[in-house]
Amino acid sequence: STSTKPLRGAFILFEGGDRCGKTTQSESLVKHLHSKGVDAELWKFPDRQTAIGQMINAYLQGKTETDDAAVHLLFSANRWEKRDAMLAALSAGRTLVVDRYAYSGAAFTAAKGVPGLDLAWCKAPDSNLPAPDATIFLSITPEAAAKRGGYGSERYEKEEMQKGVARKFEQLKDATWHSVDASMSVEAVEAEVRRIADAALRSCEDGRPVQYLWL
Ligand code: NYM
């Protein structure tokens, strides 16, 4: 008997500081992929729906105080609890467009400057999670981001913190990384994003296997 293995979906990740336009661009990309008949879904981390996600949500909203290392591990656990579903979706041929992931995890905690919680420590718990096929980094200066109607009221949404986060992202660049100037028009950013996503989809069609962090 003959069996054809279904093509796997691509894992396309959006990363960036707060107010860089990730939500607009990730939603727009999913719509674009749907219009081309691609099976695609938008995922977001933290996933605030799970029990762990609710603890993270309370922390981000300032309703609870949690030890910096402990909350870092909660963000990581919130990805681990989605790992099986993620791998199942990809191997069923579904493309995942993901709004934040382990790079945000490492960049935000490392930017706090807590002794012991350096980038290597921050990356360790996410090691062996599925890795993105393409990471679209929406690059914007914290000053320009702050002008976009200002940051929200959640923890971390302060200009000083965002500057530190930008420096940490810089150190996390890897082979999947595509930096896009997010100060361009929405349409110009969309065009860049589609070009990167198309290339990622093609690499999966060409048989690129799922990769794992942080190899
Ligand atoms: N964040 C996000 C972290 O500190 N660690 C993580 O692992 C992740 C995924 O949560 N300021 C931070 C970045 C954001 C905040 O994200 C919530 P969003 O995209 O604003 O809902």
Side-chain angles (χ1 to χ4, degrees):
S1 71
T2 56
S3 69
T4 47
K5 199 161 169 280
L7 285 174
R8 79 165 174 98
F11 175 177
I12 299 167
L13 172 62
F14 281 90
E15 285 284 14
D18 289 303
R19 302 215 56 86
C20 66
K22 274 185 299 79
T23 304
T24 304
Q25 290 295 335
S26 55
E27 287 172 357
S28 166
L29 177 60
V30 170
K31 276 193 198 133
H32 171 73
L33 293 172
H34 286 168
S35 77
K36 296 205 319 176
V38 176
D39 179 2
E41 227 170 58
L42 180 59
W43 287 31
K44 191 172 161 50
F45 288 103
D47 177 343
R48 304 190 193 213
Q49 306 304 311
T50 70
I52 292 168
Q54 286 167 31
M55 294 168 75
I56 292 169
N57 186 49
Y59 175 77
L60 287 172
Q61 294 185 350
K63 291 178 179 152
T64 53
E65 293 303 323
T66 310
D67 173 80
D68 291 304
V71 80
H72 181 76
L73 296 174
L74 288 179
F75 274 109
S76 177
N78 185 234
R79 288 182 279 279
W80 279 101
E81 66 182 338
K82 292 287 176 179
R83 180 182 189 270
D84 288 348
M86 206 168 201
L87 290 171
L90 291 173
S91 64
R94 181 162 303 149
T95 284
L96 301 180
V97 174
V98 179
D99 182 347
R100 291 197 190 285
Y101 195 58
Y103 301 82
S104 277
F108 276 81
T109 301
K112 291 176 168 180
V114 176
L117 308 192
D118 60 8
L119 214 43
W121 186 92
C122 291
K123 288 168 75 175
D126 285 319
S127 169
N128 214 34
L129 281 173
D133 296 297
T135 301
I136 301 173
F137 181 72
L138 297 183
S139 168
I140 190 165
T141 64
E143 290 85 357
K147 278 188 198 139
R148 293 191 164 176
Y151 290 117
S153 55
E154 285 201 331
R155 204 184 287 268
Y156 305 152
E157 301 195 35
K158 304 280 178 304
E159 200 164 320
E160 268 318 296
M161 175 70 180
Q162 297 293 321
K163 283 183 183 159
V165 169
R167 280 193 294 272
K168 296 302 175 190
F169 272 130
E170 192 64 30
Q171 296 173 51
L172 288 164
K173 283 183 184 170
D174 60 17
T176 71
W177 207 258
H178 301 267
S179 196
V180 174
D181 177 3
S183 67
M184 300 189 298
S185 68
V186 170
E187 295 74 21
V189 175
E190 276 173 345
E192 278 286 286
V193 162
R194 288 174 190 181
R195 189 183 56 74
I196 297 162
D198 283 348
L201 286 165
R202 259 181 281 117
S203 76
C204 294
E205 281 168 21
D206 290 346
R208 174 186 164 87
V210 176
Q211 313 282 308
Y212 292 87
L213 295 177
W214 299 87
L215 309 170

